[in-house]
Amino acid sequence: MEVAKHIRRALCALFVASALASTAHAATLNRSERTMIDAVNDVRAAHNLRPLRIDANLVRAARDYSATLIRRDIFTHGALGPRLANYGVSGSLFGENLAWGTGEGATALAFLRAWMASPGHRANLLRPGWKRIGIGTRTGTFRGYAGATVATADFAG
């Protein structure tokens, strides 16, 4: 009986550790993604808004969507709510910013400058109701440009 109890505890601990490891991996950002999130939070702080926390499910959704845009050679938001729900994202309010570019126009700061210059994208960045963010970047041939980077920023309240 005592052995079975220890085995159950060990299996439970293994399950929890596995779940935490997969979540931590999904939230590990590449340099571009980290720079973009830091820049978004800097802009929000400059406007007296609280920073957004990284949501691993939003990161996975954003990365996969950037990859989908490159693979399908399209540039559209699509059905955001149902797409995010497929990744286990919960909430009642969602938003998304997309960007793509090449060379110097494909940096995190170039994307952020472009978003801040666009009224709709700016409103998304500065929405007070957002609490979480996921950013995903992917690079490939897009719209005939080799080495293009596509970025997706998904927001949730």
Side-chain angles (χ1 to χ4, degrees):
M1 178 111 167
E2 197 65 29
V3 171
K5 186 176 181 181
H6 289 294
I7 291 173
R8 280 195 303 274
R9 282 186 184 160
L11 288 174
C12 183
L14 182 63
F15 175 75
V16 169
S18 174
L20 290 174
S22 66
T23 299
H25 175 69
T28 302
L29 304 173
N30 66 37
R31 179 180 290 169
S32 177
E33 293 163 345
R34 169 52 62 194
T35 301
M36 287 181 78
I37 287 177
D38 289 346
V40 166
N41 281 331
D42 288 347
V43 166
R44 289 178 62 82
H47 288 85
N48 299 315
L49 296 168
R50 70 176 171 240
L52 302 175
R53 70 176 171 80
I54 299 166
D55 181 298
N57 290 335
L58 286 172
V59 170
R60 287 186 315 121
R63 284 178 176 164
D64 287 354
Y65 198 59
S66 290
T68 295
L69 294 175
I70 287 175
R71 185 180 68 253
R72 295 177 60 198
D73 202 29
I74 59 171
F75 196 68
T76 183
H77 291 283
L80 179 61
R83 178 165 32 93
L84 294 181
N86 286 335
Y87 287 88
V89 176
S90 60
S92 58
L93 187 62
F94 305 110
E96 183 172 74
N97 283 358
L98 302 175
W100 77 275
T102 60
E104 291 299 312
T107 66
L109 296 178
F111 290 154
L112 188 69
R113 279 194 296 269
W115 286 340
M116 288 301 288
S118 161
H121 294 97
R122 179 185 175 91
N124 245 356
L125 290 172
L126 301 178
R127 188 177 189 117
W130 298 142
K131 295 179 181 153
R132 300 169 286 149
I133 188 171
I135 290 184
T137 60
R138 289 294 179 257
T139 301
T141 299
F142 187 70
R143 302 275 169 121
Y145 294 92
T149 298
V150 173
T152 300
D154 288 330
F155 305 92

